Amino acid sequence: MWTLSGFTDEISPDMERQCSHARSLGLGHIEFRSAWDTNVLDLDDQQLEQAAEILDRYDLKVSSIGSPIGKIGLRDPIDAHLERAQHAVDVARILGAPYVRVFSFFIPEGVDPDDCRTEVIDRMRALADVAEEGGVTFLHENEKKIYGDIPRRCADLLAGVDSPRLRAAWDSANFVQCGVRPFTEGYAAIRPYLEYVQVKDAHLSDGEVVVTGEGDGELRETIDALVDDGFDGFFSLEPHLSAAHELGGFSGPELFTEAHTAFTGLLREKGIRYQ
């Protein structure tokens, strides 16, 4: 059974409104990135307690912590960031999330990412150590301008670190924005590590993010392959239909609903059961 989730801060900055709207759509999980205009890792103890209470009241669980871990420069100091990764693990435990989303560091301007392989893998290995010790799984999301932006480097990174606690989150729109046809050029290499799917789509021509199925993200082909492979995991709506920036995006309740309708319609079209 496939399970739907979503970045509900794309609905509203207010946690209550996030959860109310998510429940109205029938979601049983959310991906927690921010509340009250504050990143989840920067919420204080009282705010985390309040968020947990709201989630419980709406009978919602957290599929993943949508953290910004790894969204720093490759040459930036790492020790404080590893402490922040440990905090992400602690937050995941508090909220009962099995996953924490991470990234593989912004590459310096003018530097060939392939020349940074050893340094990136060393840093990602350190992050994987934090995940292993904490008993949660870090999900590497492919993202523009980081080492793991294209399928070849994503697969190389995951193979190089070789940790059961570092897996792949698949984002087809991000691949498209890097000039990649996601399924055609990346699925086979990344599938052995794939545990989580971010749901958004984009046009190859200009990188514009669009409703699922209307872009070049090859969602239909990817879904068919996941069915054939027996995939059982989360699909997290991350529409970015109104705004997008380095640390997230926004859609609003109407566009988030449109994104939910498009994706669930695609699943029903293919006869796929979900919860």
Side-chain angles (χ1 to χ4, degrees):
M1 179 75 74
W2 291 3
T3 303
L4 300 191
S5 183
F7 288 81
T8 50
D9 59 350
E10 294 217 9
I11 296 168
S12 169
D14 181 72
M15 188 71 181
E16 186 93 28
R17 291 187 64 192
Q18 291 184 31
C19 292
S20 174
H21 195 75
R23 232 17 189 141
S24 75
L25 295 175
L27 294 179
H29 290 78
I30 73 165
E31 182 150 0
F32 197 166
R33 180 171 53 198
S34 71
W36 307 296
D37 289 317
T38 304
N39 184 270
V40 61
L41 300 190
D42 296 319
L43 297 174
D44 61 30
D45 291 345
Q46 183 178 357
Q47 288 172 314
L48 279 174
E49 184 177 338
Q50 184 181 358
E53 185 276 324
I54 294 171
L55 286 163
D56 186 62
R57 181 149 39 87
Y58 284 93
D59 194 24
L60 285 166
K61 298 178 180 178
V62 178
S63 60
S64 179
I65 301 300
S67 89
I69 296 299
K71 278 198 170 185
I72 62 171
L74 181 60
R75 306 288 158 73
D76 291 344
I78 191 63
D79 289 348
H81 206 61
L82 291 176
E83 291 179 9
R84 190 161 170 79
Q86 179 59 63
H87 178 59
V89 169
D90 294 340
V91 170
R93 285 172 169 169
I94 290 169
L95 297 175
Y99 296 111
V100 174
R101 181 188 63 163
V102 300
F103 302 87
S104 54
F105 304 100
F106 292 118
I107 302 302
E109 192 76 26
V111 175
D112 185 341
D114 289 328
D115 292 338
C116 302
R117 179 183 185 275
T118 299
E119 192 172 357
V120 170
I121 289 179
D122 286 348
R123 285 187 166 215
M124 295 304 293
R125 177 67 254 179
L127 287 177
D129 288 343
V130 173
E132 290 172 9
E133 292 167 8
V136 303
T137 299
F138 283 0
L139 295 168
H140 174 264
E141 180 181 337
N142 55 287
E143 174 66 278
K144 300 174 293 295
K145 300 181 181 179
I146 64 172
Y147 178 83
D149 56 351
I150 60 174
R152 172 177 60 81
R153 283 195 288 267
C154 289
D156 176 65
L157 167 65
L158 293 161
V161 175
D162 191 24
S163 169
R165 291 295 185 177
L166 181 66
R167 302 282 93 182
W170 174 276
D171 190 309
S172 57
N174 287 352
F175 278 139
V176 169
Q177 290 174 335
C178 292
V180 171
R181 293 192 176 277
F183 178 77
T184 302
E185 300 177 43
Y187 183 83
I190 294 176
R191 180 62 184 96
Y193 311 100
L194 200 160
E195 286 198 17
Y196 201 95
V197 179
Q198 311 286 25
V199 181
K200 65 176 184 284
D201 206 345
H203 289 311
L204 266 171
S205 59
D206 56 9
E208 179 189 4
V209 176
V210 294
V211 170
T212 301
E214 295 185 2
D216 297 301
E218 301 184 317
L219 269 298
R220 287 177 172 82
E221 295 91 335
T222 303
I223 287 171
D224 287 343
L226 289 169
V227 169
D228 291 342
D229 289 347
F231 181 82
D232 181 14
F234 288 105
F235 290 78
S236 184
L237 299 168
E238 190 184 13
H240 283 14
L241 292 177
S242 178
H245 49 81
E246 191 172 277
L247 295 178
F250 188 75
S251 297
E254 293 81 12
L255 290 175
F256 192 92
T257 299
E258 183 178 338
H260 177 271
T261 300
F263 185 62
T264 56
L266 183 57
L267 296 182
R268 286 194 297 273
E269 170 192 315
K270 292 182 171 293
I272 297 169
R273 296 178 60 205
Y274 62 89
Q275 61 184 4

